[in-house]
Amino acid sequence: LNEDEKNLYIQAEVPGIPKEEIKVSINDENVLTIRGEKKQEEKREDKTHIRIERNYGSFTRSFVLPDYIKKDTVNTKFENGVLSIQFEKTEPVKPKEVEIKVS
């Protein structure tokens, strides 16, 4: 998670998972959730595995995003096993100040 003046950026490495198996959502409380599943290859009768060092199964990762993002301006890109998500930032709301007369 990083940011510059105008945008907030998130990158997640999801190697070996097809784009169709990745789901990204954001709820009303600004919680961004990334879900996916890496399915195990089908067993072949003509091969015997001696050792497997890959993890398989589903995963979920959630992040609480700051209030200053625009949810409707999200851009995503999936390339070479890296999911990139970009949100535009809103202008910060300046606190309203009311002068109180001292008597």
Side-chain angles (χ1 to χ4, degrees):
L1 182 66
N2 57 56
E3 63 184 335
D4 59 22
E5 286 183 21
K6 296 184 179 187
N7 298 296
L8 178 77
Y9 305 95
I10 297 171
Q11 287 190 323
E13 291 184 8
V14 285
I17 300 177
K19 177 172 70 171
E20 299 77 29
E21 294 294 325
I22 299 172
K23 307 293 181 229
V24 180
S25 63
I26 187 167
N27 67 16
D28 290 337
E29 286 87 35
N30 278 7
V31 176
L32 176 79
T33 302
I34 302 170
R35 293 182 177 90
E37 183 174 4
K38 185 174 182 182
K39 297 180 180 175
Q40 190 168 6
E41 299 171 4
E42 293 183 27
K43 287 187 175 184
R44 293 179 46 184
E45 297 299 323
D46 61 335
K47 286 187 177 180
T48 303
H49 290 285
I50 297 170
R51 184 175 178 162
I52 297 175
E53 293 190 11
R54 293 182 175 177
N55 293 325
Y56 298 98
S58 60
F59 70 91
T60 301
R61 182 78 168 103
S62 295
F63 306 90
V64 177
L65 299 177
D67 291 335
Y68 55 80
I69 60 154
K70 294 180 183 178
K71 292 183 198 177
D72 57 343
T73 61
V74 62
N75 292 311
T76 61
K77 184 170 102 175
F78 184 71
E79 187 174 25
N80 296 327
V82 178
L83 173 65
S84 299
I85 305 169
Q86 174 184 338
F87 290 95
E88 274 187 44
K89 292 165 59 174
T90 61
E91 290 292 323
V93 178
K94 296 185 181 184
K96 186 176 179 181
E97 187 175 302
V98 177
E99 188 172 333
I100 300 172
K101 189 172 183 175
V102 179
S103 54

